[in-house]
Amino acid sequence: PSHPTASCFAAVGCDGDRFGAVCLCWRRRCPQDSGVMAEHGITAGQRVLVTWDISSGLEALQEFVKKVQEAVGAKGHVAVENLDQLLQSAQPESSFDVALLDLVPGSMAVHSSDVLADIARVLKPGGSVLMKEPVTSAATTAGSAVRTAARLCSALTLAGLTDVTEVQKQALMPQEMQTVQQQLGYQGNDLLMIQISGKKPNFEVGSSAQLKISLSRKSDPAGKPFVDPGAAQLWTLSATDMNDEDVDLLDSDELLDSEDLKKPDPSSLQAAGCDAGSEKKRKACKNCTCGLAEELEQEKRHTATPQSSEPKSACGNCYLGDAFRCASCPYLGMPAFKPGEKILLNKNQLQDA
């Protein structure tokens, strides 16, 4: 088991009182530890990632890493990373077969969503992960980092892992309970230690594959598309069908009466509320279809004051004569006139010009 029991202490000849609940004798010599690496799915030649945190004991970490190295052999590789520095380690993608997260005895860490996503990144397609984390059985965690077992499984799934399975769950020892409360700030007494396993899918994140979908239609030897005879017979109207006495065809013109042929009054086409009341300002609706918008636009054009086409004077001296006019004056060469007076040239001035 993950924690010592009375039978474990008796098997190694230790009373369990020298080192408390985390007896090093049990860790080193417990006969149930002999196949622990095989239970983790570790075989020779694999690349294994081991994480630890501040609560992990140094001697326990060394002993655990030694067991993993013995399991993978000389052709394998074991990488040890601090959980808090995992995101900065920049491990290459798809480089590990197995990831063991905080399985070192004494570890009491909570894995964030970013850490779980990075674990899914560094695992090879088909790689497995086995992790240990304290969880709570309470419905609410009151803002603490400690999660329930269901939320932890959901976090692993959202990180991209599949086959998420709860391997083991058991209550914490009093000393371990106190350690979790101090490190994680959780004050409840309903903590459990859970082990969960998961796998990365057998494909890379972001990979694509072509779907083999046949969109070709059956055709006859002449190359024409295949037509269902039943459908063709259902929607085909032959000449003989037109001559059949049982077919009663209607003339579309006979469906209209005299009232339908009359031109409607434009006022009757206006929607309810359009141009209602003489005391209100006439205003057309948005996307008007009754003609009120065109009517108002036409009235606006008729009532608009026509602008004068005569050039305007910038200096105000154009009417005084050429002696007072600018070089670019439009009245240059014309006789003096009164402001607002229409300029008329007599016959003599026309002959001189």
Side-chain angles (χ1 to χ4, degrees):
S2 298
H3 303 281
T5 60
S7 60
C8 294
F9 290 133
V12 297
C14 175
D15 55 5
D17 294 333
R18 290 181 295 162
F19 299 94
V22 288
C23 177
L24 296 179
C25 298
W26 172 75
R27 289 178 182 169
R28 295 175 182 173
R29 298 160 52 195
C30 180
Q32 301 184 34
D33 266 351
S34 58
V36 67
M37 293 299 113
E39 293 178 359
H40 295 344
I42 299 176
T43 58
Q46 287 185 329
R47 294 177 57 87
V48 182
L49 174 64
V50 177
T51 63
W52 61 280
D53 62 277
I54 193 174
S55 61
S56 305
L58 178 59
E59 188 175 353
L61 175 61
Q62 294 175 349
E63 186 71 19
F64 184 81
V65 173
K66 182 180 179 181
K67 292 179 181 179
V68 178
Q69 290 175 341
E70 293 175 353
V72 298
K75 296 183 179 180
H77 175 73
V78 179
V80 182
E81 292 288 350
N82 189 325
L83 189 63
D84 297 332
Q85 303 296 327
L86 180 62
L87 299 178
Q88 287 76 29
S89 62
Q91 292 286 353
E93 297 182 1
S94 303
S95 56
F96 293 100
D97 300 288
V98 181
L100 304 178
L101 309 183
D102 281 359
L103 293 184
V104 180
S107 298
M108 300 290 174
V110 173
H111 305 80
S112 64
S113 300
D114 294 336
V115 169
L116 296 178
D118 196 63
I119 293 297
R121 180 185 65 85
V122 301
L123 279 177
K124 295 180 181 180
S128 60
V129 58
L130 184 64
M131 62 178 297
K132 183 180 69 174
E133 181 175 320
V135 297
T136 176
S137 58
T140 59
T141 58
S144 175
V146 181
R147 296 169 288 195
T148 61
R151 291 195 174 186
L152 179 56
C153 293
S154 299
L156 288 169
T157 303
L158 293 176
L161 301 176
T162 59
D163 297 337
V164 179
T165 307
E166 182 180 318
V167 178
Q168 187 180 16
K169 180 191 294 184
Q170 65 182 40
L172 293 175
M173 302 293 290
Q175 184 176 351
E176 295 175 329
M177 183 84 69
Q178 184 179 1
T179 302
V180 174
Q181 292 175 349
Q182 292 176 355
Q183 293 184 1
L184 304 180
Y186 185 77
Q187 302 303 324
N189 295 323
D190 50 3
L191 293 174
L192 302 171
M193 185 60 70
I194 188 174
Q195 282 191 10
I196 296 181
S197 64
K199 289 186 178 181
K200 184 177 180 178
N202 291 322
F203 54 83
E204 292 289 355
V205 177
S207 60
S208 60
Q210 185 177 3
L211 299 178
K212 297 181 180 180
I213 301 177
S214 177
L215 300 178
S216 60
R217 298 180 179 178
K218 296 180 180 179
S219 58
D220 57 7
K224 297 182 180 180
F226 175 77
V227 179
D228 187 6
Q233 187 178 7
L234 179 64
W235 296 102
T236 301
L237 188 63
S238 63
T240 57
D241 294 334
M242 299 293 293
N243 297 330
D244 194 349
E245 297 180 357
D246 297 335
V247 178
D248 187 11
L249 300 179
L250 296 178
D251 187 2
S252 59
D253 295 335
E254 295 180 357
L255 300 177
L256 302 176
D257 54 15
S258 58
E259 294 295 331
D260 297 329
L261 299 177
K262 291 182 179 179
K263 184 177 180 179
D265 186 8
S267 60
S268 64
L269 300 178
Q270 293 184 358
C274 279
D275 197 25
S278 59
E279 69 280 357
K280 295 183 179 180
K281 183 178 179 180
R282 303 176 67 191
K283 184 177 180 181
C285 304
K286 185 179 180 180
N287 300 328
C288 177
T289 58
C290 65
L292 180 59
E294 291 79 2
E295 182 180 350
L296 296 178
E297 183 66 22
Q298 188 175 5
E299 292 180 359
K300 184 178 180 180
R301 293 177 181 176
H302 288 304
T303 56
T305 303
Q307 297 181 355
S308 176
S309 60
E310 297 181 0
K312 295 183 179 180
S313 174
C315 61
N317 299 326
C318 300
Y319 69 95
L320 296 178
D322 287 346
F324 302 92
R325 293 170 181 165
C326 307
S328 59
C329 182
Y331 295 100
L332 195 64
M334 297 184 181
F337 57 90
K338 295 180 180 181
E341 180 184 9
K342 186 177 181 181
I343 302 175
L344 298 175
L345 300 179
N346 54 29
K347 295 181 179 181
N348 296 333
Q349 290 174 327
L350 291 175
Q351 292 176 356
D352 295 340

